[in-house]
């Protein structure tokens, strides 16, 4: 059976037994901000198991896309070095929600494996929880007692968390040993006896005191890795030998010109397995809306991509190649998961961009790591690992991998984390430096926010200390979620105090006034907002929501909010994206926002239970945010913008007035920023620009950009003229033994131009050739050396050019195929060029 037939057979088997075949949830769990990735089939049914949701069916089956590369379930380090761990895999599963239980689940597992798929019953083992006598007795219908094994909580008891639904599980293991003697190897973590199916029986609720209480409704949750069961059914010793992975591995073979070696210790085999696995993970994650970045799931994906790129380098592939595998994956899996075909172009562009960015720093980082390894005494210092992370973008696990594989040493992980924590603490301190401290421990009060519907309130004083005052009810919004705090006044006892800032302290809303407040607990207080300022903030905030959705519609659904600022004068929106948006794209985004403003759309909010809110169509929420049992959802046309948000908004989009993008920029790798204005801020912004001469400066910048464009065009023309000398250089090449050595001095104006000419020379030499070009640039001799592919290992350009540059009182180096150097002794340049063929011959 092919993997496609196995998948289809599983689903048809359970569909015939009354199960609803449901689609896979995305690997990005947009409905659960506690998860980085969907890591099990049960994730999409979590609300059912928690008793907070239900479906219109009680039996279900599917194939679920899963990623396990972070947190408790993290298989990243095992990928490539064994036969059966993956960061991405498909989990075939069937579920019962208060319907059938142990008897049917075990019976159907046995029927599918032995009657339908014809697995040898003598190679099957079942494990049960040590006290689960019911499952043990049920298995006796199919297996002898010696192949029904009891294990403890570690292997055979499933729990969702420290508290909540849980229960025993029974696992089915397949014995691959030649003599069917694998009994002692069950649950030993070896490929000879491998777990292929897990049936979880959710029948208890774990209480805070650790006790177990029976659930009113009992559920079944099963999971079977498609990759593992395919290897078993196809008689393959490794998952990577199946038709799931072989097309990807064959493509890697073609790219690098090496053959795949199944030996677990062979470096080429490890590299090809890693690439095949990591391309799948990256492709499915990007197709479902994720993108590599610096935080959260984005950073996990960046680590995976850079790990894959490093292994590609081990195969001699020095250019970006991971992205080229996407087409193979889309062709082999796109019929089952059409999102791969729908987003193929996006996936390829994201991966290629990330590869290109990383490969530019990889060599420099490796050089620093090599120096540190040479000077180390068995361990890379934490300071070095942190510098590689901070400067070159090396994830810690990549540094550990290179240190272990290439130098046989470890990394001081504890020191690395100490430096990382210190940096984060400095960053937090810098962000808080401008904020007046509020002593939460001193404030024992709770405020009620009435600012969604009121701009002033009559209340009483609950707390006073210096310029800080807390009142029972307040219309003042405390800064959070990117929205700045309100300002206004609080009047107590005939005195009016200007409120400059508002902060939260536990359940209290603390108003920070310009001067100390003279009041007592229990005094009457009148709080009034600066209403025009609040209205401006609301315009900017609602415009931010429209901008967010417009970005996703124009740039792609991978766009996620990375940060924001909503002030009365302007808005700032940070978002994940892998390249600079074009001017046309930015104009389209701006137009979409203004269209929604002109449509006079009512803006409304709903306060919903968290599980109900997560199921609202099109809703946006943010990973890592801590939501309570209820959340506020802001709707600006339910088909356009729906977001979890506690901020204040306009009542109708027409109140925004107008929207204008001022600036777009990059603030980090994979993170872009848009600065914009809305409403009354637009004319003020234009006036400010004119007042400060910004419009003139913009015109100056446009002229400078045009000059640079013309200079580049002129440089291209000059480069084209210089290329005319390449045929003459090749024709005049000197033979150094059996090698062609082409040498020349050209009138290049920059190092980039010189390198471009050297690339042309290398291409013209084709095989068995070395070239050296020289130019005098800024009163220095600059050299570029090239070696053709067939001889670059024997005659590496980096070492050849370095030796030549030493004669000029300089130095340099680079890659085996192309390297650069320079020196100050211009008088010796002609002599160095004439002697270069002898240097090559004697190298």
């Amino acid at each position: 059976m092919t993997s496609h037939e196995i998948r289809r057979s599983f689903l048809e088997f359970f569909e015939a037994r009354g199960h609803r075949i449901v689609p896979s949830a995305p690997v990005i769990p947009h409905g659960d901000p506690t998860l980085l990735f969907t890591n099990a089939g049960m994730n999409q049914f979590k609300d059912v198991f928690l008793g907070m949701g239900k479906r219109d069916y009680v039996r279900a089956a599917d194939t679920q896309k899963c990623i396990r590369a972070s947190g408790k379930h993290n298989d990243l380090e095992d990928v490539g070095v064994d036969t059966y761990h993956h960061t991405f895999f498909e989990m075939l599963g069937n579920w019962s929600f208060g319907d059938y239980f142990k008897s049917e689940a075990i019976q159907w597992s046995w029927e599918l494996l032995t009657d339908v798929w014809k697995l040898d019953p003598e190679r099957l083992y079942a494990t049960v929880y040590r006290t689960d006598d019911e499952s043990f007795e049920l298995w006796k219908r199919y297996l002898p007692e010696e192949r029904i094994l009891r294990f403890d909580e570690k292997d055979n008891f499933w729990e969702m968390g420290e508290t909540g639904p849980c229960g025993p599980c029974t696992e089915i293991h397949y014995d691959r040993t030649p003599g069917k003697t694998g009994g002692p190897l069950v649950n030993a973590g070896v490929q000879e006896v491998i777990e292929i199916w897990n049936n979880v029986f959710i029948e208890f609720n774990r209480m805070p005191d650790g006790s177990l209480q029976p659930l009113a409704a009992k559920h079944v949750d099963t999971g079977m890795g498609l990759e593992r069961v395919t290897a078993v059914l196809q008689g393959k010793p490794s998952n990577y030998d199946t038709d799931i992975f072989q097309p990807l591995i064959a493509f890697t073979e073609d790219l690098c010109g090496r053959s795949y070696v199944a030996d677990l210790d062979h470096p080429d085999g490890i590299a090809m397995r890693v690439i095949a696995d990591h391309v799948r993970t990256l492709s499915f994650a990007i197709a479902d809306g994720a993108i590599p970045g610096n935080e959260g799931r984005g950073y996990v994906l960046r680590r995976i991509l850079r790990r894959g790129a490093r292994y590609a380098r081990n195969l001699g592939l020095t250019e970006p190649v991971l992205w080229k595998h996407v087409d193979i994956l889309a062709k082999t899996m796109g019929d089952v998961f059409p999102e791969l075909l729908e987003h193929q172009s996006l996936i390829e562009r994201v991966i290629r961009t990330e590869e290109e960015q990383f490969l530019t720093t990889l060599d420099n980082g490796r050089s620093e790591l090599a120096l540190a390894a040479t000077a180390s005494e068995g361990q890379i210092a934490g300071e070095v690992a942190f510098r590689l992370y901070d400067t070159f973008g090396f994830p810690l696990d990549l540094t550990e991998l290179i240190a272990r594989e290439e130098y046989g040493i470890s990394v001081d992980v504890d020191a690395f984390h100490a430096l990382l924590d210190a940096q984060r603490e400095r960053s937090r301190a810098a962000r808080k430096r401008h904020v007046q401290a509020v002593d939460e421990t001193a404030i024992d009060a709770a405020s009620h926010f009435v600012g969604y519907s009121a701009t002033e309130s009559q209340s009483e004083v609950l707390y006073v200390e210096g310029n800080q005052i807390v009142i029972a009810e307040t219309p003042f919004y405390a800064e959070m979620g990117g929205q700045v705090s309100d300002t206004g006044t609080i009047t107590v006892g005939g005195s009016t105090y200007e409120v400059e800032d508002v902060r939260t302290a536990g359940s209290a809303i603390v108003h920070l006034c310009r001067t100390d407040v003279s009041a007592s607990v229990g005094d009457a207080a009148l709080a009034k907002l600066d209403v025009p300022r609040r209205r401006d903030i609301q315009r900017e905030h609602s415009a931010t929501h429209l901008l967010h959705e417009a970005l996703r519609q124009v740039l792609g659904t991978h766009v996620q909010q990375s940060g924001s600022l909503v002030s009365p004068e302007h808005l700032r929106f940070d978002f994940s994206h892998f390249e600079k948006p074009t001017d046309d794209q930015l104009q389209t985004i701006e137009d979409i926002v203004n269209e929604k403003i002109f449509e006079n759309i009512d803006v409304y909010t709903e306060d919903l239970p968290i599980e109900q809110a997560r199921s609202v169509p099109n809703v946006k929420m943010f990973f890592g945010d801590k939501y309570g049992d209820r959340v506020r959802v802001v709707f600006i046309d339910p088909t356009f913008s729906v977001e979890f948000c506690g901020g204040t908004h306009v009542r109708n989009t027409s109140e925004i007035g107008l929207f204008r993008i001022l600036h777009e920029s990059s603030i980090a790798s994979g993170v872009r920023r848009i600065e914009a204005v809305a409403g009354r801020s637009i004319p003020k912004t234009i006036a400010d620009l004119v007042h400060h001469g910004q419009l003139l400066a913009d015109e100056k910048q446009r002229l400078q950009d045009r000059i640079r464009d013309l200079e580049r065009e002129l440089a291209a023309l000059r480069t084209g003229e210089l290329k005319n000398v390449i045929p003459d250089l090749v024709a005049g090449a000197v033979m150094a033994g059996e090698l062609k050595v082409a040498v020349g001095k050209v009138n290049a104006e920059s190092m980039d131009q010189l390198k471009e000419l050297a690339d042309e020379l290398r291409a013209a030499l084709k095989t068995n050739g070395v070239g050296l070009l020289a130019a005098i640039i800024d009163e220095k001799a600059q050299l570029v050396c090239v070696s053709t592919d067939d001889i670059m290992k024997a005659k590496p350009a980096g070492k050849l050019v370095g030796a030549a540059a030493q004669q000029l009182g300089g130095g340099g180096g680079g890659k085996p195929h192309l390297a650069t150097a320079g020196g100050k002794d211009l008088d010796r340049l002609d002599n160095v060029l004439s002697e270069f063929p002898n240097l090559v011959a004697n190298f």
Side-chain angles (χ1 to χ4, degrees):
M1 299 175 71
T2 66
S3 57
H4 279 52
E5 291 169 339
I6 294 168
R7 184 193 296 110
R8 185 170 60 249
S9 171
F10 176 91
L11 297 175
E12 290 175 349
F13 179 88
F14 282 101
E15 185 175 34
R17 286 155 181 79
H19 290 65
R20 174 83 61 86
I21 306 304
V22 298
S24 170
V27 291
I28 307 305
H30 300 294
D32 188 349
T34 65
L35 274 179
L36 279 175
F37 301 103
T38 299
N39 57 25
M42 57 76 58
N43 290 159
Q44 67 169 306
F45 302 117
K46 187 175 176 181
D47 60 318
V48 178
F49 297 139
L50 289 170
M52 304 176 72
K54 60 182 180 179
R55 304 291 187 272
D56 61 354
Y57 48 84
V58 294
R59 298 181 181 185
D62 78 348
T63 178
Q64 173 62 52
K65 303 174 293 185
C66 298
I67 292 178
R68 290 187 177 177
S70 61
K72 176 183 176 183
H73 299 290
N74 185 354
D75 294 333
L76 181 59
E77 294 305 314
D78 295 320
V79 170
V81 298
D82 69 14
T83 63
Y84 56 92
H85 278 103
H86 310 289
T87 54
F88 173 87
F89 64 96
E90 285 184 66
M91 183 177 286
L92 303 171
N94 59 285
W95 289 270
S96 166
F97 307 123
D99 186 31
Y100 65 83
F101 203 46
K102 294 180 182 180
S103 178
E104 295 90 340
I106 290 174
Q107 174 189 340
W108 291 335
S109 297
W110 185 259
E111 286 180 8
L112 179 60
L113 293 177
T114 62
D115 294 348
V116 178
W117 288 347
K118 306 299 182 183
L119 287 181
D120 183 355
E122 294 184 1
R123 291 191 176 275
L124 296 177
Y125 285 80
T127 65
V128 300
Y129 182 55
R130 54 184 168 80
T131 62
D132 187 4
D133 295 332
E134 181 182 0
S135 292
F136 190 94
E137 291 300 317
L138 287 168
W139 274 117
K140 286 168 63 177
R141 300 176 182 175
Y142 312 104
L143 291 169
E145 288 192 31
E146 62 269 20
R147 283 195 278 126
I148 310 170
L149 309 177
R150 295 180 187 266
F151 286 86
D152 58 16
E153 286 83 356
K154 176 178 178 294
D155 295 300
N156 281 85
F157 197 90
W158 178 88
E159 302 197 50
M160 184 176 291
E162 293 184 4
T163 60
C166 57
C169 62
T170 180
E171 296 176 342
I172 303 170
H173 298 253
Y174 186 80
D175 181 2
R176 287 168 154 162
T177 62
K180 303 179 184 178
T181 58
L185 299 177
V186 172
N187 274 337
V190 296
Q191 64 192 39
E192 288 79 10
V193 179
I194 193 168
E195 173 206 335
I196 57 173
W197 204 345
N198 187 12
N199 284 249
V200 179
F201 305 124
I202 303 174
E203 56 181 317
F204 300 112
N205 189 27
R206 176 76 72 181
M207 308 304 291
D209 63 1
S211 63
L212 295 174
Q213 298 292 330
L215 290 172
K218 298 179 179 181
H219 312 295
V220 173
D221 164 22
T222 87
M224 174 164 54
L226 174 65
E227 293 77 8
R228 290 189 182 187
V229 77
T230 297
V232 169
L233 289 170
Q234 293 183 357
K236 304 294 185 181
S238 165
N239 296 1
Y240 293 96
D241 295 336
T242 66
D243 64 343
I244 296 174
F245 291 95
Q246 278 300 302
L248 291 167
I249 290 174
F251 184 69
T252 309
E253 289 180 303
D254 291 341
L255 287 176
C256 68
R258 304 183 188 181
S259 297
Y260 173 65
V261 181
D263 184 347
L264 293 182
D265 296 324
H266 196 285
D268 287 358
I270 293 173
M272 292 186 192
R273 289 191 290 271
V274 167
I275 290 170
D277 173 89
H278 289 8
V279 165
R280 281 160 43 97
T281 301
L282 293 164
S283 298
F284 277 99
I286 294 167
D288 282 347
I291 194 169
N294 289 332
E295 295 181 352
R297 65 172 62 97
Y299 184 62
V300 174
L301 294 178
R302 180 162 285 164
R303 285 172 56 206
I304 291 171
L305 187 145
R306 293 183 172 184
R307 190 170 186 265
R310 185 262 174 181
Y311 273 107
R313 179 64 63 90
N314 288 1
L315 294 172
L317 298 167
T318 57
E319 302 298 325
V321 294
L322 300 182
W323 70 275
K324 296 180 180 179
H325 292 72
V326 175
D327 186 56
I328 304 299
L329 182 66
K331 288 176 179 176
T332 56
M333 299 191 72
D335 57 337
V336 181
F337 300 106
E339 60 270 26
L340 290 174
L341 296 170
E342 180 182 352
H343 300 294
Q344 181 176 342
S345 176
L346 171 67
I347 299 166
E348 290 172 341
R349 284 190 293 134
V350 171
I351 295 177
R352 183 174 187 174
T353 299
E354 280 285 322
E355 282 190 90
E356 289 172 344
Q357 291 173 350
F358 178 56
L359 290 177
T360 58
T361 63
L362 179 60
D363 286 333
N364 291 333
R366 287 172 69 99
S367 297
E368 179 152 342
L369 184 55
L371 291 173
T374 303
S376 73
E377 296 182 358
Q379 188 176 60
I380 298 293
E383 293 84 351
V384 174
F386 180 75
R387 187 162 60 251
L388 289 168
Y389 164 82
D390 199 39
T391 304
F392 299 106
F394 271 43
L396 176 62
D397 54 359
L398 179 59
T399 300
E400 289 182 287
L401 183 69
I402 296 174
R404 180 176 65 250
E405 290 192 355
E406 298 187 13
Y407 305 105
I409 57 179
S410 62
V411 177
D412 189 342
V413 175
D414 292 338
F416 169 87
H417 284 298
L419 290 166
L420 182 61
D421 290 342
Q423 184 193 61
R424 288 172 174 166
E425 185 56 40
R426 287 193 300 272
S427 178
R428 282 193 292 268
R431 288 195 300 269
K432 293 180 179 179
R433 198 168 291 141
H434 72 285
V435 180
Q436 179 180 336
V438 174
D439 185 359
E440 294 189 21
T441 61
I443 303 175
D444 183 17
S447 308
H448 177 54
F449 177 65
V450 296
Y452 291 135
S453 57
T455 58
E456 65 177 73
S457 66
Q458 186 75 44
S459 188
E460 65 172 315
V461 176
L462 300 180
Y463 170 87
V464 178
E465 180 63 39
N467 70 330
Q468 302 177 8
I469 180 172
V470 178
I471 58 179
E473 289 189 350
T474 178
F476 284 85
Y477 183 85
E479 180 172 333
M480 69 182 75
Q483 179 176 327
V484 300
S485 62
D486 286 320
T487 60
T489 62
I490 293 180
T491 302
V492 185
S495 297
T496 299
Y497 303 93
E498 290 186 39
V499 178
E500 294 185 315
D501 198 3
V502 188
R503 301 284 161 181
T504 58
S507 299
I509 297 175
V510 184
H511 308 76
L512 306 178
C513 300
R514 182 184 295 274
T515 60
D516 286 352
V517 178
S518 178
S520 300
V521 173
D523 286 351
L526 176 63
K528 289 186 176 182
L529 297 183
D530 179 340
V531 176
R533 182 177 181 276
R534 160 66 84 81
R535 298 283 186 253
D536 288 337
I537 293 172
Q538 291 178 173
R539 292 185 183 98
E540 303 285 354
H541 201 157
S542 296
T544 301
H545 283 218
L546 296 176
L547 171 63
H548 189 179
E549 181 57 30
L551 283 165
R552 288 170 62 85
Q553 290 193 5
V554 175
L555 302 181
T557 55
H558 63 277
V559 167
Q560 299 290 327
Q561 180 174 333
S562 300
S564 68
L565 171 68
V566 176
S567 76
E569 294 85 17
H570 69 285
L571 66 89
R572 187 178 71 216
F573 190 80
D574 301 338
F575 59 98
S576 56
H577 191 53
F578 53 91
E579 63 185 3
K580 179 178 177 61
T582 66
D583 290 343
D584 287 344
Q585 287 175 323
L586 290 174
Q587 187 61 57
T588 301
I589 291 163
E590 184 178 291
D591 290 344
I592 290 173
V593 174
N594 282 314
E595 286 171 9
K596 291 299 175 182
I597 292 172
F598 301 150
E599 286 177 15
N600 298 337
I601 301 168
D602 286 335
V603 179
Y604 64 95
T605 64
E606 292 185 9
D607 183 82
L608 300 173
I610 181 65
E611 294 302 330
Q612 182 181 345
R614 285 174 178 165
S615 64
V616 173
N618 306 316
V619 71
K620 301 184 188 76
M621 64 198 77
F622 308 105
F623 176 79
D625 282 6
K626 303 299 182 184
Y627 298 112
D629 294 335
R630 302 186 69 84
V631 293
R632 187 168 180 264
V633 184
V634 177
F635 296 81
I636 309 179
D637 180 350
T639 65
F640 187 77
S641 172
V642 185
E643 289 193 29
F644 286 15
C645 180
T648 61
H649 289 270
V650 299
R651 291 164 298 180
N652 186 284
T653 59
S654 63
E655 296 175 24
I656 299 172
L658 196 62
F659 172 81
R660 181 69 185 271
I661 294 175
L662 296 178
H663 185 61
E664 191 280 335
S665 61
S666 170
I667 60 169
S669 179
V671 182
R672 312 292 303 182
R673 170 173 289 174
I674 280 182
E675 295 173 86
V677 289
R680 297 195 309 163
S681 300
I682 289 180
K684 288 190 292 184
T685 300
I686 294 175
D688 288 343
L689 289 174
V690 173
H691 178 71
H692 293 293
Q694 184 62 48
L695 292 180
L696 292 176
D698 287 347
E699 182 61 23
K700 179 182 177 182
Q701 184 63 52
R702 281 193 288 271
L703 289 173
Q704 290 175 336
D705 291 343
R706 180 57 180 154
I707 290 170
R708 278 195 293 270
D709 290 341
L710 291 171
E711 287 175 341
R712 282 194 290 267
E713 291 172 14
L714 182 58
L717 290 172
R718 288 174 177 165
T719 300
E721 293 173 357
L722 289 172
K723 288 179 182 178
N724 293 330
V725 308
I726 297 298
D728 293 336
L729 290 176
V730 175
V734 175
M735 297 305 295
E738 297 181 355
L739 299 179
K740 296 173 292 187
V741 182
V743 178
K745 186 161 64 173
V746 295
N747 293 321
E749 296 181 342
S750 68
M751 199 60 177
D752 286 341
Q753 195 176 62
L754 189 61
K755 286 195 290 185
E756 186 175 349
L757 290 171
D759 271 329
E760 291 287 330
L761 177 58
R762 183 172 182 268
L765 287 169
K766 296 182 180 178
T767 60
N768 213 35
V770 174
L772 180 69
L773 293 181
I776 297 175
I777 302 172
D778 296 332
E779 299 181 354
K780 292 182 181 179
Q782 301 290 355
L783 306 175
V784 179
C785 179
V786 293
S787 290
T788 54
D789 287 344
D790 56 326
I791 63 163
M792 64 183 185
K793 290 185 178 179
K795 305 289 183 180
K799 293 185 178 180
L800 291 173
V801 79
Q806 285 179 358
Q807 301 175 49
L808 299 173
K815 299 177 180 179
H817 73 288
L818 185 149
T820 62
K824 298 179 179 179
D825 193 348
L826 300 180
D827 293 336
R828 288 188 49 81
L829 179 57
D830 290 338
N831 187 56
V832 168
L833 293 176
S834 63
E835 290 296 317
F836 186 71
N838 292 330
L839 188 155
V840 174
N842 296 325
F843 183 82

